[in-house]
Amino acid sequence: MKPARGYADQIPKRELLAYQADVKGSIFRQIRQFIKQHGITQKTLARRIGMNEGQLSRRLRGDYDLRLETLSDLARGLGCRIDVRLECENEVKQVE
């Protein structure tokens, strides 16, 4: 039996990877902007979330995959909450 194909399976791999990079980049830009606006150092944030400054720096550059746990830790360390919003650019297609 063939596995069911989802919508993401219909998108060319290069396009999907580019989209994922855009999403990740947008999230990290927002985090870096917040840090700068509120005068928080990476050293302070790293200490708050239990990692060293080098690890935090690599994550903020996007050197690692963005995990929900990491995003949650960053938000907690900044005293923020995560607000996820989905916006559809096109009509959502039904996949059979």
Side-chain angles (χ1 to χ4, degrees):
M1 179 183 279
K2 286 176 88 176
R5 289 181 49 113
Y7 182 68
D9 294 329
Q10 298 177 12
I11 301 172
K13 183 75 169 176
R14 184 182 319 177
E15 186 179 324
L16 184 59
L17 290 174
Y19 175 74
Q20 291 169 347
D22 286 346
V23 169
K24 186 167 71 168
S26 174
I27 291 169
F28 284 125
R29 275 191 301 280
Q30 290 179 54
I31 292 169
R32 286 190 303 266
Q33 181 180 9
F34 187 92
I35 289 169
K36 185 176 181 180
Q37 287 176 342
H38 291 85
I40 300 168
T41 66
Q42 285 190 17
K43 184 176 185 175
T44 298
L45 179 56
R47 189 183 72 248
R48 288 180 185 175
I49 62 175
M51 67 175 60
N52 69 49
E53 191 175 354
Q55 291 170 316
L56 176 61
S57 179
R58 287 188 293 278
R59 280 167 177 75
L60 293 178
R61 282 196 313 260
D63 291 353
Y64 293 94
D65 282 338
L66 177 60
R67 294 178 30 203
L68 184 56
E69 294 156 353
T70 303
L71 182 56
S72 178
D73 287 346
L74 289 168
R76 180 181 44 82
L78 294 169
C80 298
R81 66 180 184 83
I82 299 169
D83 182 21
V84 176
R85 184 181 64 225
L86 300 176
E87 297 177 358
C88 295
E89 296 175 3
N90 302 315
E91 183 178 328
V92 176
K93 298 176 184 175
Q94 198 67 24
V95 179
E96 295 181 19

